[in-house]
């Protein structure tokens, strides 16, 4: 453990491809942090095997073992606290978190959601965008508040919806963008430039627009992340 690198704890429920994007960004030197641990709420989450194969600390806090949401959230918060995180990253974490969990980590808790928030909080986001006749879909990284998928947006990636698109084809086009914007948003936070101030995102002295910043920040994403790190 190094004394001065920010510590990230990732929470997952399944495949963990966004978690892998964090591992890649840390290894590539574009995310100036160390991964303190990966925690899953499901014993069968595939991403836990991947994390362990990368030599990362892993924990399971199985929500089925707790009588109610607050009991699970209390145990989860304690498990996360043990890892002394500077930033907690929900990476495909498919449990609604109560204030018992959210409040202790307010301002250092991020989520990625597969829609252009504030559109389509909740599930089946891509299908809902198609069914509504939207011309664009995407993903948003945001600070987590006690409102479901409602916290202020940091970064958003957009793709056009084209004729013949299905929820699956949209997900396939959007997921690689999720893997870019999520570590980039984390780097903005870790650099100290980005903060949650009075319920709004502030980048330096500027308040971000409602949808957050639009991706790409730069045509070369790894370079953009290095630039952000070096200018911090
Ligand atoms: C991602 O598409 C993420 O945006 C979404 O789940 C997927 C997880 O994939 N998250 C949500 O829907 C949260 N409400 P991953 O496990 O491969 O990172």
């Amino acid at each position: 453990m190094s004394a001065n690198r920010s510590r990230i704890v990732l929470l997952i429920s399944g495949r963990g491809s966004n978690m892998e994007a964090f591992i890649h960004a840390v290894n590539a030197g574009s995310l100036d942090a160390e991964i303190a641990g990966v925690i899953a709420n499901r014993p069968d989450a595939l991403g836990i095997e991947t994390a362990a194969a990368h030599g990362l600390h892993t924990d399971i806090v199985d929500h089925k073992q707790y009588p109610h949401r607050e009991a699970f959230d209390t145990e989860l918060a304690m498990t996360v606290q043990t890892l002394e995180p500077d930033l907690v990253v929900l990476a495909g974490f498919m449990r609604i978190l109560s204030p018992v969990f959210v409040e202790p980590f307010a301002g250092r808790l991020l989520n990625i959601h597969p829609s252009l928030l504030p559109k389509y909080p909740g599930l089946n986001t891509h299908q809902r965008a198609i069914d509504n006749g939207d011309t664009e879909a995407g993903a948003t990284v945001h600070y987590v508040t006690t409102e479901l998928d409602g916290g202020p947006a940091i970064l958003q990636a957009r793709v056009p919806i084209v004729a013949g698109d299905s929820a699956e084809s949209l997900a396939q086009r959007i997921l690689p963008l999720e893997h870019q914007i999520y570590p980039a948003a984390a780097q903005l936070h870790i650099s100290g430039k980005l903060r949650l101030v009075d319920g709004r995102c502030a980048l330096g002295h500027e308040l971000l627009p409602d949808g957050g910043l639009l991706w790409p920040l730069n045509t070369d994403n790894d370079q953009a992340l290095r630039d952000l790190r070096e200018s911090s």
Side-chain angles (χ1 to χ4, degrees):
M1 185 192 306
S2 94
N4 52 8
R5 294 189 90 197
S6 293
R7 294 168 61 77
I8 295 180
V9 170
L10 292 141
L11 305 192
I12 65 169
S13 296
R15 170 181 63 180
S17 71
N18 277 287
M19 172 203 75
E20 284 188 78
F22 273 77
I23 296 171
H24 168 76
V26 166
N27 290 343
S30 53
L31 178 56
D32 191 18
E34 65 183 291
I35 296 175
V38 178
I39 303 170
N41 67 307
R42 299 175 56 109
D44 59 351
L46 265 182
I48 280 293
E49 287 173 30
T50 313
H54 281 276
L56 296 172
H57 173 92
T58 61
D59 278 310
I60 309 280
V61 184
D62 180 356
H63 64 273
K64 291 196 179 134
Q65 304 299 319
Y66 297 86
H68 49 73
R69 194 176 294 283
E70 282 72 20
F72 167 70
D73 284 5
T74 300
E75 181 62 30
L76 185 65
M78 276 168 41
T79 307
V80 173
Q81 286 292 17
T82 308
L83 297 170
E84 300 179 359
D86 297 293
L87 184 65
V88 180
V89 168
L90 306 181
F93 188 72
M94 303 307 278
R95 298 287 300 169
I96 292 174
L97 291 165
S98 70
V100 168
F101 185 89
V102 172
E103 279 167 5
F105 300 107
R108 52 187 175 123
L109 179 58
L110 301 185
N111 182 41
I112 190 158
H113 184 71
S115 81
L116 299 176
L117 289 173
K119 280 189 155 184
Y120 314 125
L123 299 174
N124 302 322
T125 53
H126 299 326
Q127 191 59 51
R128 286 155 72 200
I130 293 169
D131 293 347
N132 264 356
D134 291 1
T135 55
E136 282 187 315
T140 308
V141 181
H142 65 96
Y143 281 107
V144 175
T145 62
T146 50
E147 186 190 344
L148 176 66
D149 299 325
I154 300 167
L155 260 179
Q156 202 163 68
R158 297 170 171 241
V159 301
I161 298 179
V162 296
D165 256 333
S166 61
E168 291 71 31
S169 68
L170 266 184
Q172 247 176 34
R173 285 213 304 290
I174 292 167
L175 194 63
L177 293 170
E178 294 190 25
H179 300 161
Q180 295 173 16
I181 63 174
Y182 210 178
Q187 179 59 30
L188 279 174
H189 177 89
I190 279 167
S191 72
K193 293 176 159 193
L194 180 75
R195 283 285 167 264
L196 185 61
V197 181
D198 296 334
R200 297 283 306 269
C201 282
L203 189 60
H205 297 296
E206 300 286 325
L207 287 180
L208 295 191
D210 281 348
L213 296 167
L214 192 59
W215 191 254
L217 298 173
N218 184 307
T219 49
D220 175 347
N221 299 316
D222 273 352
Q223 185 58 47
L225 285 171
R226 267 192 291 277
D227 290 348
L228 284 169
R229 196 189 72 196
E230 279 156 18
S231 64
S232 62

Short mmCIF file of all heavy atoms in Angstrom, two decimals, residues 14-18 91-92 94 112-114 175 178, ligand 1:
data_model
loop_
_atom_site.label_atom_id
_atom_site.label_comp_id
_atom_site.label_asym_id
_atom_site.label_seq_id
_atom_site.Cartn_x
_atom_site.Cartn_y
_atom_site.Cartn_z
N GLY A 14 -22.03 -8.30 -10.80
CA GLY A 14 -22.02 -9.28 -11.88
C GLY A 14 -20.70 -9.37 -12.61
O GLY A 14 -19.64 -9.53 -12.01
N ARG A 15 -20.79 -9.17 -13.92
CA ARG A 15 -19.68 -9.37 -14.86
C ARG A 15 -18.43 -8.56 -14.52
O ARG A 15 -17.31 -9.03 -14.66
CB ARG A 15 -20.26 -8.99 -16.23
CG ARG A 15 -19.34 -8.87 -17.37
CD ARG A 15 -20.16 -8.47 -18.57
NE ARG A 15 -20.79 -7.15 -18.40
CZ ARG A 15 -21.56 -6.57 -19.31
NH1 ARG A 15 -21.84 -7.19 -20.44
NH2 ARG A 15 -22.06 -5.37 -19.09
N GLY A 16 -18.61 -7.31 -14.15
CA GLY A 16 -17.47 -6.52 -13.71
C GLY A 16 -16.62 -5.92 -14.80
O GLY A 16 -15.44 -5.64 -14.60
N SER A 17 -17.22 -5.66 -15.98
CA SER A 17 -16.38 -5.08 -17.04
C SER A 17 -15.98 -3.63 -16.71
O SER A 17 -14.88 -3.19 -17.06
CB SER A 17 -17.06 -5.16 -18.40
OG SER A 17 -18.14 -4.26 -18.50
N ASN A 18 -16.83 -2.89 -16.02
CA ASN A 18 -16.42 -1.54 -15.60
C ASN A 18 -15.31 -1.62 -14.56
O ASN A 18 -14.38 -0.81 -14.57
CB ASN A 18 -17.62 -0.75 -15.08
CG ASN A 18 -18.41 -0.12 -16.22
OD1 ASN A 18 -17.95 0.85 -16.83
ND2 ASN A 18 -19.57 -0.68 -16.52
N ALA A 91 -19.98 -0.21 -9.60
CA ALA A 91 -19.65 -0.63 -10.97
C ALA A 91 -20.56 -1.80 -11.36
O ALA A 91 -20.19 -2.96 -11.22
CB ALA A 91 -18.17 -1.02 -11.06
N GLY A 92 -21.78 -1.45 -11.78
CA GLY A 92 -22.76 -2.50 -12.06
C GLY A 92 -23.22 -3.12 -10.75
O GLY A 92 -23.42 -4.33 -10.65
N MET A 94 -26.12 -3.71 -8.40
CA MET A 94 -27.54 -3.69 -8.72
C MET A 94 -28.44 -3.77 -7.48
O MET A 94 -29.49 -4.38 -7.50
CB MET A 94 -27.86 -4.84 -9.69
CG MET A 94 -27.04 -4.80 -10.98
SD MET A 94 -27.11 -3.22 -11.87
CE MET A 94 -28.66 -3.44 -12.74
N ILE A 112 -22.29 4.54 -12.24
CA ILE A 112 -22.50 4.70 -13.68
C ILE A 112 -23.86 4.10 -14.01
O ILE A 112 -24.23 3.03 -13.50
CB ILE A 112 -21.39 4.06 -14.53
CG1 ILE A 112 -21.55 4.48 -15.99
CG2 ILE A 112 -21.35 2.54 -14.39
CD1 ILE A 112 -20.29 4.37 -16.81
N HIS A 113 -24.61 4.83 -14.82
CA HIS A 113 -25.96 4.39 -15.17
C HIS A 113 -26.10 4.42 -16.69
O HIS A 113 -25.71 5.40 -17.33
CB HIS A 113 -26.99 5.33 -14.52
CG HIS A 113 -28.39 4.88 -14.76
ND1 HIS A 113 -28.92 3.75 -14.13
CD2 HIS A 113 -29.36 5.36 -15.56
CE1 HIS A 113 -30.16 3.58 -14.55
NE2 HIS A 113 -30.45 4.54 -15.41
N PRO A 114 -26.66 3.34 -17.28
CA PRO A 114 -26.70 3.25 -18.74
C PRO A 114 -27.86 4.02 -19.37
O PRO A 114 -28.70 3.44 -20.07
CB PRO A 114 -26.79 1.74 -18.99
CG PRO A 114 -27.49 1.23 -17.79
CD PRO A 114 -27.12 2.11 -16.63
N LEU A 175 -21.32 0.21 -23.92
CA LEU A 175 -20.43 -0.32 -22.87
C LEU A 175 -18.97 0.13 -23.01
O LEU A 175 -18.36 0.55 -22.02
CB LEU A 175 -20.54 -1.85 -22.81
CG LEU A 175 -19.93 -2.48 -21.55
CD1 LEU A 175 -20.65 -2.04 -20.28
CD2 LEU A 175 -19.95 -4.02 -21.66
N GLU A 178 -18.71 3.44 -21.58
CA GLU A 178 -18.76 3.41 -20.11
C GLU A 178 -17.35 3.18 -19.56
O GLU A 178 -16.94 3.81 -18.58
CB GLU A 178 -19.66 2.27 -19.61
CG GLU A 178 -21.12 2.43 -19.95
CD GLU A 178 -22.00 1.41 -19.23
OE1 GLU A 178 -21.60 0.90 -18.16
OE2 GLU A 178 -23.09 1.11 -19.74
C1 LIG B 1 -23.27 -1.54 -16.95
O1 LIG B 1 -23.84 -1.35 -18.22
C2 LIG B 1 -23.73 -0.44 -16.00
O2 LIG B 1 -23.92 0.80 -16.62
C3 LIG B 1 -25.04 -1.01 -15.53
O3 LIG B 1 -24.82 -2.38 -15.40
C4 LIG B 1 -23.81 -2.80 -16.30
C5 LIG B 1 -22.75 -3.52 -15.50
O4 LIG B 1 -21.79 -4.11 -16.35
N1 LIG B 1 -25.42 -0.42 -14.28
C6 LIG B 1 -26.68 -0.22 -13.93
O5 LIG B 1 -27.61 -0.54 -14.62
C7 LIG B 1 -26.84 0.44 -12.58
N2 LIG B 1 -28.18 0.92 -12.40
P1 LIG B 1 -20.41 -4.61 -15.77
O6 LIG B 1 -20.72 -5.52 -14.59
O7 LIG B 1 -19.80 -5.36 -16.90
O8 LIG B 1 -19.61 -3.41 -15.36
#
